[in-house]
Amino acid sequence: GVLDNSIAGLLIPGSRLGRVRFEDLPPALFYAGLTWLLHALDLARTTAWGLDELSGWWPLPLAFGCLAILFRRLNVPLFAALIALSGVGLLVVGSACGFFLLFESVFTLVLLGGPRISRMTEHAALVMTGLLVVLMYFITGSAAISVTFGLVLGMTILMPAEWAGNVRKARD
């Protein structure tokens, strides 16, 4: 019956849960759980944007981003953009956990996007990282800030692109 198929969908990896793939549930739950934990321990708050009055709203973009992860295979570019938008939303409301969703957005585009989107994302990640680090140096004049910014970009944009690219090549 219907219930048996739903239970099988939860227990058999690779099976479909309606329009949601079982494989997409663990990362969505992981990001949600990790973000909740870091906020509960007061380790995720950042005042970099000066929007302290919005800091209590972090669950909203988190929930939106995790839902987008669940449905990302329906339309990879659209849902990757929604995941990234949610990550930016988290950063704007003062949660450093927005970087998790930015990571997942790039990973999604490279791993699940078509060959052209995947290649373009990998190249764009490399070019964007380099250009933004140079731009940061010209804005701040500080090598230390630029290197730190480069490390954050590398972990948020470049690493997921390379990792997903390697997984995709191994899978193909």
Side-chain angles (χ1 to χ4, degrees):
V2 175
L3 182 58
D4 294 337
N5 290 338
S6 296
I7 293 170
L10 288 172
L11 299 177
I12 302 169
S15 64
R16 297 182 69 77
L17 301 171
R19 293 188 147 317
V20 176
R21 294 281 303 256
F22 179 78
E23 298 94 341
D24 295 327
L25 190 58
L29 292 175
F30 173 75
Y31 291 127
L34 182 59
T35 300
W36 279 94
L37 176 65
L38 292 175
H39 276 275
L41 297 173
D42 202 25
L43 296 174
R45 191 169 13 131
T46 177
T47 57
W49 305 104
L51 299 173
D52 289 339
E53 63 276 2
L54 299 176
S55 65
W57 288 91
W58 64 265
L60 188 61
L62 174 65
F64 190 71
C66 290
L67 281 173
I69 291 170
L70 290 177
F71 293 101
R72 64 188 173 176
R73 293 174 197 265
L74 295 177
N75 183 328
V76 172
L78 172 65
F79 282 94
L82 292 175
I83 295 166
L85 183 63
S86 299
V88 170
L90 275 169
L91 291 172
V92 167
V93 299
S95 174
C97 296
F99 290 113
F100 300 149
L101 293 180
L102 293 175
F103 178 104
E104 190 61 35
S105 176
V106 173
F107 192 86
T108 295
L109 282 171
V110 174
L111 184 63
L112 303 176
R116 183 169 176 240
I117 289 173
S118 179
R119 240 184 347 273
M120 284 175 39
T121 303
E122 282 189 271
H123 293 132
L126 181 60
V127 170
M128 225 168 65
T129 299
L131 288 176
L132 288 172
V133 168
V134 170
L135 180 64
M136 181 59 77
Y137 181 75
F138 283 115
I139 290 171
T140 65
S142 169
I145 291 172
S146 300
V147 168
T148 303
F149 188 62
L151 290 171
V152 170
L153 288 174
M155 296 297 287
T156 306
I157 297 172
L158 197 54
M159 188 174 87
E162 292 303 311
W163 182 10
N166 288 336
V167 171
R168 186 182 179 108
K169 287 172 190 128
R171 181 186 69 194
D172 292 344

